Amino acid sequence: QVQLVESGGGLVQAGGSLRLSCAASGRAFSSYAMGWFRQAPGKEREFVAAINWSGGSTDYADSVKGRFTISRDNAKNTLYLQMNSLQPGDTAVYYCAAPGVILTKPIRSALSYIYWGQGTQVTVSS
């Protein structure tokens, strides 16, 4: 069983920054690709960013490219999402996710992820 615990959300003004963390436990974190997703009220969960097992390959949604950076520290079993130039449209609950099998590339599809954290709220005021 894999446990994922997000932290770092909060309220920030437009143009500000936040860094989300996701602490993982329960299996060899360094072997698995990881992803970040978000869900705004009344909307479906959407892909934000993904990273391969080593951190050498990343993928981003067009809406966050150039503003968000996904990274990982395998020694600390922790996934990060640095969010800069935040906009009100980034307001959502952010989730980290892990797949059930070892994947060699960052994966966008939520269907590939079977472990999810409880989410952390990010609110951006205008």
Side-chain angles (χ1 to χ4, degrees), residues 33-113:
M34 297 287 293
W36 285 100
F37 291 77
R38 68 186 182 186
Q39 187 167 19
K43 295 186 177 181
E44 293 186 353
R45 190 170 298 188
E46 65 174 358
F47 168 76
V48 174
I51 190 168
N52 75 332
W53 66 274
S54 68
S57 181
T58 58
D59 188 23
Y60 297 92
D62 289 344
S63 59
V64 307
K65 198 172 295 183
R67 300 188 297 122
F68 291 11
T69 302
I70 187 172
S71 62
R72 64 192 298 161
D73 186 335
N74 287 341
K76 296 182 178 180
N77 288 354
T78 303
L79 177 73
Y80 302 101
L81 185 68
Q82 177 67 42
M83 305 186 295
N84 298 329
S85 302
L86 283 161
Q87 305 165 359
D90 296 316
T91 295
V93 177
Y94 283 71
Y95 300 89
C96 68
V101 296
I102 294 177
L103 303 172
T104 58
K105 302 177 182 179
I107 299 297
R108 290 188 169 215
S109 172
L111 296 176
S112 296
Y113 296 88

